[in-house]
Amino acid sequence: MNSFFKNLASRSMPWLCLSGPSSPIVLSTKMSLARNIAGQLYPDKLDELAGLDVLEDIFEVSESLPDYERLNSYELNTLNEIEKDLLLERSHITHNSVFSGIAGVIIDEEEYFSVLVNDEDHMKIQVMRPGLELHKSWKYLTYVDDIFGKKLKYDFSNDYGYLTASPEHVGTGLKCEVLLDLTGLYLSGQINGLVQSARVFGYELQASENQDNRKPQGRYILSTVKTLGVKEEKIISSFKSFINDVIDAETRSRVKLMADSSHRIQNLVSRAYGTLKYNFMLDEGEAFDLLLTLRLGLQLGLFENLNFKQVEDALTCSGNAHLQSVMQELLSTEDLNKTRASMVRKKIGLAD
Amino acid sequence: MQKICDICKKNVAAIHIEKHAGENHTQMKICCQCAGIEALSPENLKSEDLQKIIADLAFLQKPSEPEVCSECGTTTVDFDKSKRVGCGACYDNLKASLNLHLYPNVIQNKHLGKTPFKLGFEPIQKEEVDELQVLEAKLTSLITDEEYETAAKVRDQIAELKKALS
């Protein structure tokens, strides 16, 4: 395993675990642009030879990006299972790309920026930031897009804009996504109303899923849907004002919850704390749920001997690939769960 | 109580069809034999079969030839399955079956966002699309078509846009 992956395994995702504007309700911002190269078939239809050509072209152009020396480029089929899992867990690549023979990824040292090559489209340029940073992300994204766009001829039509493999992204190819912690709205039963109103405004709000398809309570992804017939800046500014409304609603519901039924939250948080302290086997999804609940307790000031960083560290280190790469071997599920339990205890200072 | 087929008056009916046309409601119960799928019993009737029967009965089935994209060979059947096109040319070649206007991401069938560069660093001459002009044109045509409900919405959009611009 090379030093980049060792680094990756040894630390938590900076864009998820550091604090940013509007955190901790907005955990992270993710923004991506889908682009295709004119005159080439789309990755679904590409044969291996042409696919690797596209990959090579894109890797070559990436050399003219600023801070090129901080970028790492990999063809996915040259990576081993643990390395691929590691990238998948941190959502730099998708399940689909793992099995494709022609996919590749360009990723910067700090994981704030990546380009996924030959997944659904030829390129998915992605920026990830902690907290709510829509405008800054867009500025960087469009800057990088222009650098690629000057050397590669994008597939573009005057009517439909940037053409993509799925008509769902055609137009700007832009997708904005924020990860939200809406525990307050979730516990007070207001979340379904919010899902509805998001839909009315043309956004999508859904419970985030982790690796084993379990939905951690209170963690939601809000994303934009519209791409054709609207300007990028407009998409971003209206999205931002909607997010601000959501943040207000969540803050209010947390205050109300603490005032009216603090015992409910205390019960939830204390149980999570107890389970984390006294367990010897912990599966991935459960660890995620419990640690998030613990973090909510922290936000509401229910703990004095814990800090956010400890919990966030524990969160990212509890993934299967992380455990395996730290242990340098493939572990059985039982061993994984045992290692995870002790690792999490150690990280949040509960070990004896 | 098991229902008997309305056509042969003999077998147990497996399919129940209701037709609502204005004030008239008609009902029909038929068995698999009469529906033309003799090999199937109600227990192992698949939903695809059912769709076919319903389509046949309602005369909804379109016997049209699938369209093919001349660039990449993607057919409309492929697209229905994967919901993905094979190349950029598909957008023109399979235009009718893509039904872009049905997608929730589509506000209007005209791109308004950024445009790419030509190779050699020359920006493509941008066809200046003024959002306001587009909306005003839309409003006029809607009023001509007497679509007042939609027109009112567009009018509000224009007002909002003007407010944002000023």
Side-chain angles (χ1 to χ4, degrees):
Chain A
M1 201 184 277
N2 73 25
S3 64
F4 172 68
F5 285 100
K6 274 195 191 132
N7 260 335
L8 221 60
S10 65
R11 58 143 196 256
S12 30
M13 284 170 268
W15 52 272
L16 183 61
C17 296
L18 295 179
S19 301
S22 301
S23 61
I25 293 180
V26 182
L27 301 169
S28 69
T29 303
K30 211 192 256 183
M31 204 181 265
S32 67
L33 278 178
R35 294 287 185 256
N36 283 294
I37 295 161
Q40 291 282 2
L41 299 184
Y42 292 169
D44 273 1
K45 293 266 168 188
L46 270 185
D47 56 45
E48 198 171 328
L49 210 63
L52 292 176
D53 270 353
V54 170
L55 192 71
E56 212 171 279
D57 284 350
I58 292 171
F59 279 3
E60 204 181 300
V61 177
S62 75
E63 286 171 21
S64 52
L65 288 174
D67 300 333
Y68 170 67
E69 61 285 357
R70 304 177 62 77
L71 297 177
N72 298 280
S73 310
Y74 302 101
E75 275 177 42
L76 289 192
N77 56 9
T78 62
L79 299 178
N80 65 32
E81 290 304 314
I82 296 184
E83 291 168 334
K84 278 192 261 192
D85 273 357
L86 208 54
L87 290 175
L88 193 62
E89 228 166 56
R90 302 168 93 101
S91 75
H92 296 304
I93 61 174
T94 61
H95 277 287
N96 188 14
S97 60
V98 172
F99 300 108
S100 131
I102 54 172
V105 66
I106 303 168
I107 181 169
D108 93 297
E109 206 69 51
E110 273 92 32
E111 300 176 70
Y112 286 132
F113 164 72
S114 70
V115 182
L116 181 54
V117 184
N118 282 343
D119 178 29
E120 187 180 322
D121 295 298
H122 290 142
M123 291 166 74
K124 186 170 137 195
I125 314 171
Q126 191 167 247
V127 172
M128 290 144 283
R129 306 287 308 171
L132 182 64
E133 280 192 24
L134 290 167
H135 290 289
K136 213 170 170 182
S137 306
W138 168 242
K139 228 168 130 186
Y140 188 70
L141 202 56
T142 181
Y143 170 65
V144 172
D145 177 45
D146 287 347
I147 294 176
F148 277 109
K150 280 175 185 167
K151 304 225 166 148
L152 300 165
K153 190 168 186 290
Y154 285 148
D155 222 350
F156 181 84
S157 108
N158 270 334
D159 285 342
Y160 302 141
Y162 293 93
L163 303 177
T164 53
S166 160
E168 284 180 9
H169 306 128
V170 75
T172 58
L174 174 71
K175 184 164 183 176
C176 313
E177 208 176 278
V178 288
L179 187 60
L180 300 163
D181 189 342
L182 302 179
T183 317
L185 292 167
Y186 174 80
L187 284 179
S188 59
Q190 290 166 283
I191 202 78
N192 287 335
L194 187 64
V195 171
Q196 298 294 336
S197 69
R199 197 169 299 146
V200 171
F201 282 92
Y203 303 116
E204 197 172 49
L205 181 71
Q206 47 189 182
S208 89
E209 274 181 24
N210 45 8
Q211 291 279 299
D212 45 2
N213 289 340
R214 278 178 52 160
K215 293 181 177 168
Q217 300 178 338
R219 199 177 251 216
Y220 286 81
I221 293 175
L222 181 69
S223 55
T224 57
V225 174
K226 290 169 184 164
T227 54
L228 185 58
V230 55
K231 282 185 183 161
E232 290 90 347
E233 288 79 8
K234 171 97 186 175
I235 296 178
I236 291 162
S237 60
S238 8
F239 192 48
K240 186 163 186 189
S241 70
F242 186 76
I243 295 170
N244 284 333
D245 291 347
V246 174
I247 294 173
D248 283 350
E250 170 66 16
T251 315
R252 274 199 307 274
S253 81
R254 281 188 191 181
V255 170
K256 192 164 184 308
L257 215 59
M258 275 308 274
D260 296 353
S261 44
S262 63
H263 56 278
R264 276 177 64 194
I265 292 190
Q266 268 164 352
N267 174 45
L268 203 77
V269 172
S270 308
R271 276 166 183 270
Y273 185 80
T275 315
L276 285 170
K277 187 164 182 177
Y278 298 106
N279 82 80
F280 290 90
M281 279 168 74
L282 195 59
D283 78 38
E284 202 176 4
E286 192 183 4
F288 220 69
D289 273 3
L290 294 173
L291 285 166
L292 280 176
T293 316
L294 204 60
R295 202 186 47 189
L296 176 75
L298 266 179
Q299 281 160 17
L300 298 171
L302 299 176
F303 293 103
E304 280 168 1
N305 53 349
L306 257 179
N307 64 41
F308 277 106
K309 196 167 181 322
Q310 284 173 302
V311 178
E312 307 282 11
D313 268 357
L315 267 172
T316 28
C317 293
S318 58
N320 285 344
H322 275 255
L323 292 175
Q324 282 170 346
S325 67
V326 171
M327 307 301 284
Q328 294 282 333
E329 57 181 328
L330 285 167
L331 300 171
S332 69
T333 315
E334 199 167 309
D335 286 338
L336 270 174
N337 291 349
K338 262 162 46 188
T339 321
R340 178 162 24 239
S342 70
M343 176 83 99
V344 168
R345 265 206 310 275
K346 213 185 287 168
K347 287 275 178 196
I348 56 176
L350 292 176
D352 298 323
Chain B
M1 193 191 85
Q2 285 197 316
K3 298 192 169 74
I4 304 299
C5 173
D6 283 340
I7 298 176
C8 60
K9 314 262 186 223
K10 199 167 68 192
N11 296 329
V12 177
I15 301 163
H16 184 121
I17 301 158
E18 279 188 41
K19 190 174 167 189
H20 297 262
E23 300 265 293
N24 303 325
H25 303 301
T26 48
Q27 285 192 9
M28 202 178 177
K29 296 182 277 294
I30 49 175
C31 65
C32 289
Q33 275 90 336
C34 297
I37 40 166
E38 281 158 64
L40 291 166
S41 64
E43 289 83 44
N44 55 17
L45 189 70
K46 293 198 199 85
S47 66
E48 297 95 273
D49 297 325
L50 203 59
Q51 275 167 13
K52 190 178 169 299
I53 296 162
I54 293 168
D56 277 345
L57 286 166
F59 306 107
L60 284 172
Q61 202 184 29
K62 283 178 265 173
S64 61
E65 285 281 302
E67 287 178 69
V68 185
C69 172
S70 52
E71 291 287 320
C72 64
T74 305
T75 63
T76 45
V77 180
D78 294 341
F79 177 75
D80 284 341
K81 249 185 233 158
S82 66
K83 294 291 167 212
R84 288 190 193 173
V85 300
C87 69
C90 290
Y91 278 93
D92 286 325
N93 296 340
L94 307 178
K95 207 170 183 173
S97 56
L98 291 183
N99 279 330
L100 266 186
H101 62 280
L102 295 180
Y103 282 85
N105 63 324
V106 175
I107 298 174
Q108 46 173 298
N109 279 350
K110 184 84 190 166
H111 176 63
L112 295 177
K114 69 185 276 194
T115 49
F117 296 89
K118 252 183 199 160
L119 286 187
F121 307 101
E122 282 296 312
I124 286 180
Q125 267 306 319
K126 196 175 165 188
E127 197 188 322
E128 204 48 63
V129 193
D130 194 342
E131 214 176 332
L132 204 61
Q133 278 173 11
V134 172
L135 284 175
E136 274 167 354
K138 200 171 163 190
L139 182 64
T140 324
S141 78
L142 282 169
I143 292 172
T144 333
D145 297 343
E146 299 185 9
E147 297 263 0
Y148 297 117
E149 210 168 302
T150 330
K153 279 183 199 151
V154 176
R155 181 202 58 205
D156 294 345
Q157 277 176 12
I158 292 176
E160 200 180 298
L161 200 65
K162 276 186 178 158
K163 207 169 133 193
L165 286 175
S166 62

